Amino acid sequence: MNSDLPERDEVDAEFEALLDPKVQESIGRSLKAHYDDLINAPIPDKFLVLLAQLEATERRLPTEGESDERR
């Protein structure tokens, strides 16, 4: 490894020192708002169909000759 490169902790500490606490708070609020929007967004129909297909397949598998190893 190259000893001329700063350690990751040193780089993180320097980066944190460059950001004003108000800027950090603003970024945090913005990220939380975006995350909340994603969490509350409806699940696309395509994913619901895929999940239903997967569940149907999983329900069929045990009745179609499940071995003793799977129990």
Side-chain angles (χ1 to χ4, degrees), residues 5-70:
L5 295 175
E7 293 292 324
R8 183 176 180 96
D9 291 338
E10 293 173 13
V11 172
D12 289 344
E14 288 178 34
F15 181 72
E16 287 180 20
L18 295 176
L19 287 178
D20 182 89
K22 291 180 182 179
V23 172
Q24 290 180 359
E25 187 177 327
S26 176
I27 292 171
R29 278 194 311 268
S30 179
L31 287 173
K32 183 179 182 333
H34 288 294
Y35 179 78
D36 289 343
D37 288 344
L38 287 173
I39 294 301
N40 295 320
I43 298 172
D45 291 340
K46 182 176 182 177
F47 290 138
L48 293 175
V49 169
L50 290 171
L51 286 171
Q53 290 173 348
L54 177 63
E55 288 174 354
T57 301
E58 287 178 344
R59 275 187 244 120
R60 279 194 312 263
L61 285 177
T63 60
E64 292 180 0
E66 178 181 11
S67 68
D68 289 337
E69 294 174 12
R70 291 183 55 110

